[in-house]
Amino acid sequence: MEKEQTLVLIKPDGVKRGLVGEIIRRLESRGLKIVALSMEWPTKEQIDKHYPKTRKWIEGLGKNTAKSYKEFNIPSTLLEDYGTDNLHEIGKKVREWLIEFIISGPIVKMVVQGLHAIKMVRKIVGPTVPAFAEVGTIRGDFSIDSPDLANIKRRAVHNLIHASGNKEEAEYEISHWFTKEELNSYSTIHEQFMTQERNQ
Ligand code: ADP
């Protein structure tokens, strides 16, 4: 279980704001281990393949958009702003904005390993909407962005990081961004103490 791996992308806002070191520091200081790391300027195709294309996921983006219209009392309607109130169509639009945003600059991609790494990284990162993220999380400490502004400006929410949501996503995303040979195997001092048997 201490070998669980997850994929983390520092999005262009994180790179351009000089937060790469801070983000890595927060992951490492919690006791997680970086086993692969590099910077690249992603292509549209790479990001298109990274994010799911299932109806459920795309509709989820549409639902979140509709929710933020209600939550923030946005005066215009979805129909006025998107030309449709079909949640799948709206989700497709948000997915396009997301891709445009992530190809707008270089990203840092990494594989992070450790005990409950998938959940632990999400906890350190905080929830999707920075405006709702607790202080102490990366999104809560370094971004104030909110979908009411993002939706009106027709762009993705700038929330610094992508982190895999579950085991299946993590496995797929790691294999999408890295080859097996690029994943390093080593043990940290911290890990050696954590995995030591009693009386040793
Ligand atoms: P997370 O990145 O926290 O796993 P999702 O998978 O739901 O969140 O969404 C993917 C990304 O799409 C988010 O990180 C954010 O950048 C963007 N996004 C999500 N919902 C919206 C929205 N309603 N409006 C604009 N961008 C959004």
Side-chain angles (χ1 to χ4, degrees), residues 11 57 61 65 94 98 122 128 139 151 155-157 159:
K11 295 178 179 177
W57 193 84
L61 285 179
T65 307
V94 177
L98 180 57
R122 298 277 289 198
T128 308
R139 284 170 172 166
N151 292 166
R155 61 162 176 81
V157 170
N159 57 9

Side-chain angles (χ1 to χ4, degrees), residues 5-7 33-36 109-113 174 178 183:
Q5 293 183 336
T6 187
L7 181 91
K33 173 169 79 173
I34 313 289
V35 296
K109 57 177 192 178
M110 57 187 137
V111 177
V112 176
Q113 181 175 313
I174 290 169
F178 291 96
L183 306 181

Side-chain angles (χ1 to χ4, degrees), residues 64-76 78 81-82 97 129-132 144-158:
N64 286 346
T65 307
K67 207 168 103 196
S68 59
Y69 267 62
K70 275 203 186 126
E71 245 161 18
F72 295 101
N73 287 319
I74 295 178
S76 52
L78 288 168
D81 290 348
Y82 295 84
W97 297 339
V129 175
F132 298 152
I144 201 171
D145 203 19
S146 180
D148 52 340
L149 180 63
N151 292 166
I152 286 168
K153 296 288 174 195
R154 307 192 148 270
R155 61 162 176 81
V157 170
H158 293 174

